[in-house]
Amino acid sequence: MNKHDAEKRDLFAIADLAKEFDISTRAIRFYESKGLLKPDRLGSTRVFRRRDRARLILILRGKRLGFTLRDISEYLSLYDADRTRTAQVKLLVEKVDERLALLRAQLTDLETTIEELTEIRQLADERLRQEAAEGEAKS
């Protein structure tokens, strides 16, 4: 099923969504158990609607960007609570700013660590060259 066909459909089986998004059905059931997805049931079969598919897209994007399931759940819950979406957008801005601050701090830490490791490597290489030179001089 290609993306265009999926966007036109109204109903999806769990296997359809798993295949489309390259995730396991177990992952989808996990998101359901956390209340992030609420499929209908036809007997014992889960039937996902277009809304569930859209929520799954947001869940997966949120996870990819490093947001917690709690953050994602809070964001999704505002969708139904505020039809103007103002509260949802404000929360999104707050969470994005928090995530950006964290990533920038991690980037600074990584840059410092890379500099330190580079310096250690240079010192170690210099030491090995000195030892090799001393060994050749003794020979």
Side-chain angles (χ1 to χ4, degrees):
M1 166 177 41
N2 66 40
K3 183 179 176 182
H4 183 61
D5 291 341
E7 289 173 351
K8 289 181 177 181
R9 291 179 55 187
D10 290 325
L11 299 176
F12 304 87
I14 192 170
D16 294 335
L17 293 176
K19 184 176 180 181
E20 179 182 356
F21 296 108
D22 195 27
I23 59 175
S24 67
T25 55
R26 184 176 178 187
I28 294 171
R29 287 191 297 273
F30 174 76
Y31 296 139
E32 179 186 358
S33 75
K34 296 299 181 184
L36 300 172
L37 298 173
K38 296 176 180 93
D40 293 331
R41 299 257 181 196
L42 293 176
S44 63
T45 304
R46 290 172 176 84
V47 178
F48 294 85
R49 299 201 178 275
R50 194 178 298 164
R51 182 176 190 267
D52 296 305
R53 182 180 175 277
R55 289 173 72 92
L56 184 56
I57 290 169
L58 291 173
I59 293 164
L60 296 175
R61 179 179 293 156
K63 290 300 294 172
R64 188 178 65 251
L65 295 174
F67 293 104
T68 66
L69 286 181
R70 175 174 280 155
D71 292 337
I72 296 166
S73 177
E74 189 177 353
Y75 177 77
L76 291 174
S77 69
L78 290 174
Y79 182 83
D80 294 325
D82 179 12
R83 292 290 179 199
T84 67
R85 309 283 187 266
T86 303
Q88 192 179 33
V89 172
K90 285 180 180 178
L91 177 66
L92 179 63
V93 168
E94 175 186 326
K95 295 298 180 181
V96 165
D97 286 347
E98 288 173 7
R99 187 75 180 128
L100 283 170
L102 176 65
L103 289 171
R104 286 182 177 124
Q106 289 175 335
L107 180 59
T108 299
D109 291 345
L110 283 171
E111 289 169 341
T112 300
T113 301
I114 288 169
E115 287 173 14
E116 290 176 8
L117 288 170
T118 301
E119 183 180 330
I120 290 168
R121 175 63 190 262
Q122 288 170 346
L123 291 171
D125 286 344
E126 185 178 312
R127 174 73 184 251
L128 289 172
R129 281 192 300 274
Q130 287 174 349
E131 289 179 7
E134 289 171 7
E136 286 178 13
K138 290 181 184 177
S139 313

